[in-house]
Amino acid sequence: MLLIIALVIASLFVYFLKDKLKQYPNIFYIGAAVVTIVIFSLRTVAMPQFVRQNIVGIFAKGTIGTAFFIIVMITGALPRGSKLIGPLMRIRGELSIMAAILVLSHNLTYGMTYFKMLFSAPAALPAAQRCAAVISLILIVLMIGLTVISFPAVRKKMNPKKWKQIQRSAYVFYGLLYVHIMLINIPYARMGLHMYAVNVLVYSIVFAGYAAMRIRKWVLTKNPDADSIFIKKVSVAVSVCAVLVCTVAFSMCFMRNGNKVSAQETAADKTLSQTQTEKGVKKNGEAGTTATASNADGVTQEQQISGESGDSAGESQEVQENENAQDGENAAAAAVENTAGEENGQGKQDADSQNSGSSGATSDSGNDTNSSAGGSSGSDSGSAGQTAEERTEAAPKPTEAPRTFKADGDYTGTAVCDTYGYTVTVVVTISGDAVTGVSASATAGGADEMFFSQANAKVPGAILANGGVSGVDGVSGATKSSNAIKAAYTSAYQSAKN
């Protein structure tokens, strides 16, 4: 949880450096400005995801600046007589200036995306992000105004009463800051990202707790002579309100539009089913074409292909065609045998005539002729029979249709999202030598995670339905994430091919 880490860092900073901050504030302001510039410069630099999310992210997300603002907030809400109120009030102005400078790193880093889209293509932003961007602009205006009058040189030149009236706009700033944070985190939490639900709960406890403390202090200031019973009632009332705010905010993280989700899932399932059906029809058609073409080649090959088609009616028909083809071959063989047999019979008949009406020599000659004719007949008949058998045995062995992919299974491809540097992983499922599944995941976080989620909700399904990335459009507002998913799919597809 980055906010807790940031609060620890900010508290340690105040504890050890509060005197130095009061003595040399300009040095700390310059240091905060340098950090802001460096963080903004690193937005396009590739780096390990852990570093981007937890080290650079604590500044780029404005978490460390918000932590300093929280200390400034709590300082003004501490009860009178608190031991902390004295030391913190001395540096409250300096802390608020540092907080504003550090928060600018967040405004610059994310403003490059959100503010640009807000003015150029507002419809591309989801409603929550659009509202958050508008509120962010209001916050920047308020923050700059409050920061300027926090400098001692400016404050001394202002009317104290006027200065205090302007400073009261800080309450509006804190309230809008909380709303801005909720608009960013709640949509993520609704996607099932539980860490954002924790963010909502922690920020709600902090801001609702501050509001309860501040209201209690204001009521007691207006009623300095209030008895303990009144103070207790006020404390209970503001505490109940704070708990209610936290409960409502946290429960919003788990609210879902069930009908809308169901409709989307149904549409996706329908698209997948249609795609698989079309692929199955296409494949069966190819098998049927192959079977028809191979009828002239031999029984064995036809039966093999018929078996692969998996259609019992088609199989019976093809087997019958195989038998017909075999009958045709047998008939041809029989014709050869008959021709040989007629020649043999004619030769034998002539030889017998010669044997019955000739001398022994002639008979011997006839016998030789008979033997020769018989041998020729046997040879012809054997030759004819051998030819039919050889033709059956020499039929081409069954061959499988060329595969598009080397084997069924899951194949993985990765790609790095341009500019933002997070990694997208796509798993392509091959079944029956066809793509039957496309799923994507990413190491994205923050706003990147929102953009990836928008792209992931549409692009993999479009790739599956389209049979590839050709013709698949990117999701408006999440173009780079869409391109990364398509690039990772291409990598996985290539690894699956022969």
Side-chain angles (χ1 to χ4, degrees):
M1 178 58 199
L2 287 183
L3 179 60
I4 295 175
I5 297 173
L7 285 172
V8 171
I9 294 172
S11 300
L12 293 174
F13 176 89
V14 170
Y15 182 79
F16 289 105
L17 298 173
K18 59 181 181 297
D19 295 332
K20 297 296 182 182
L21 176 60
K22 189 65 178 178
Q23 188 176 1
Y24 308 107
N26 292 333
I27 295 178
F28 288 93
Y29 301 157
I30 293 172
V34 170
V35 170
T36 295
I37 294 171
V38 170
I39 294 301
F40 177 70
S41 301
L42 291 175
R43 75 189 189 282
T44 59
V45 176
M47 63 185 70
Q49 191 65 22
F50 176 83
V51 175
R52 180 174 293 279
Q53 291 297 317
N54 299 288
I55 298 178
V56 175
I58 202 170
F59 295 95
K61 295 177 181 179
T63 312
I64 193 73
T66 302
F68 279 107
F69 271 130
I70 289 173
I71 292 177
V72 174
M73 289 164 44
I74 298 298
T75 299
L78 290 173
R80 297 181 181 276
S82 172
K83 294 181 179 181
L84 294 176
I85 197 169
L88 291 176
M89 286 298 292
R90 288 180 63 247
I91 59 171
R92 192 182 184 197
E94 288 77 8
L95 286 175
S96 63
I97 294 172
M98 275 195 62
I101 296 172
L102 292 171
V103 165
L104 282 176
S105 63
H106 168 71
N107 295 326
L108 292 172
T109 301
Y110 286 84
M112 293 294 292
T113 299
Y114 286 101
F115 294 154
K116 182 179 179 181
M117 292 180 64
L118 180 65
F119 292 109
S120 62
L125 283 172
Q129 292 183 355
R130 191 160 57 245
C131 292
V134 172
I135 290 175
S136 183
L137 291 174
I138 299 172
L139 288 171
I140 291 173
V141 173
L142 291 171
M143 184 178 69
I144 291 174
L146 292 169
T147 301
V148 169
I149 67 173
S150 294
F151 284 95
V154 177
R155 180 176 180 179
K156 289 177 182 180
K157 295 180 180 181
M158 293 183 65
N159 181 288
K161 186 176 181 180
K162 185 71 174 178
W163 181 88
K164 192 170 184 179
Q165 288 176 345
I166 296 175
Q167 279 292 324
R168 285 174 181 166
S169 63
Y171 300 129
V172 178
F173 175 83
Y174 299 147
L176 289 177
L177 180 60
Y178 174 71
V179 174
H180 174 77
I181 293 170
M182 294 299 103
L183 287 172
I184 292 175
N185 282 272
I186 288 177
Y188 289 133
R190 286 182 174 181
M191 292 179 184
L193 304 172
H194 301 305
M195 181 54 67
Y196 289 93
V198 175
N199 287 349
V200 169
L201 182 60
V202 173
Y203 276 106
S204 295
I205 291 172
V206 170
F207 279 83
Y210 159 74
M213 291 173 62
R214 193 66 189 85
I215 293 171
R216 178 181 180 278
K217 184 176 181 178
W218 177 78
V219 171
L220 295 180
T221 300
K222 295 294 183 180
N223 299 275
D225 299 327
D227 56 19
S228 59
I229 296 178
F230 178 78
I231 295 174
K232 186 176 181 179
K233 288 182 179 180
V234 171
S235 300
V236 171
V238 295
S239 298
V240 169
C241 290
V243 171
L244 183 61
V245 169
C246 294
T247 302
V248 171
F250 189 65
S251 63
M252 290 178 66
C253 296
F254 304 97
M255 291 181 180
R256 296 178 182 271
N257 189 339
N259 294 333
K260 185 175 182 181
V261 172
S262 177
Q264 291 175 344
E265 290 175 350
T266 301
D269 292 342
K270 184 177 180 180
T271 301
L272 176 60
S273 177
Q274 290 175 346
T275 303
Q276 291 176 337
T277 300
E278 290 172 358
K279 289 182 180 294
V281 170
K282 182 179 179 182
K283 185 179 178 183
N284 288 338
E286 291 174 351
T289 303
T290 305
T292 303
S294 63
N295 279 340
D297 294 335
V299 175
T300 307
Q301 182 177 359
E302 289 172 349
Q303 289 175 340
Q304 177 67 24
I305 295 174
S306 175
E308 290 176 354
S309 69
D311 189 329
S312 59
E315 181 178 356
S316 299
Q317 182 177 358
E318 290 182 7
V319 170
Q320 182 63 41
E321 291 174 357
N322 293 340
E323 292 175 352
N324 292 339
Q326 180 66 47
D327 291 342
E329 291 177 353
N330 292 339
V336 174
E337 290 175 354
N338 289 338
T339 301
E342 288 175 359
E343 293 176 353
N344 181 36
Q346 183 63 39
K348 186 175 182 181
Q349 184 177 359
D350 294 341
D352 290 341
S353 296
Q354 292 176 0
N355 287 336
S356 60
S358 302
S359 62
T362 306
S363 176
D364 291 339
S365 174
N367 289 337
D368 291 341
T369 303
N370 185 34
S371 298
S372 174
S376 174
S377 173
S379 175
D380 290 343
S381 177
S383 175
Q386 183 178 4
T387 301
E389 182 179 0
E390 287 176 351
R391 286 184 61 185
T392 303
E393 292 179 353
K397 293 183 179 180
T399 57
E400 296 182 358
R403 288 184 60 91
T404 302
F405 304 99
K406 48 191 172 185
D408 289 354
D410 293 337
Y411 296 88
T412 302
T414 60
V416 177
C417 182
D418 185 31
T419 301
Y420 302 106
Y422 64 85
T423 301
V424 173
T425 301
V426 168
V427 177
V428 174
T429 300
I430 306 298
S431 179
D433 199 34
V435 177
T436 59
V438 179
S439 61
S441 60
T443 58
D448 298 338
E449 189 169 9
M450 175 67 81
F451 291 134
F452 172 76
S453 298
Q454 292 173 1
N456 192 32
K458 297 181 179 180
V459 175
I463 292 174
L464 183 62
N466 209 46
V469 297
S470 179
V472 175
D473 296 328
V475 176
S476 178
T479 304
K480 294 187 184 298
S481 297
S482 300
N483 292 339
I485 292 175
K486 290 192 282 186
Y489 168 83
T490 300
S491 175
Y493 184 88
Q494 291 300 328
S495 67
K497 292 195 70 175
N498 291 325

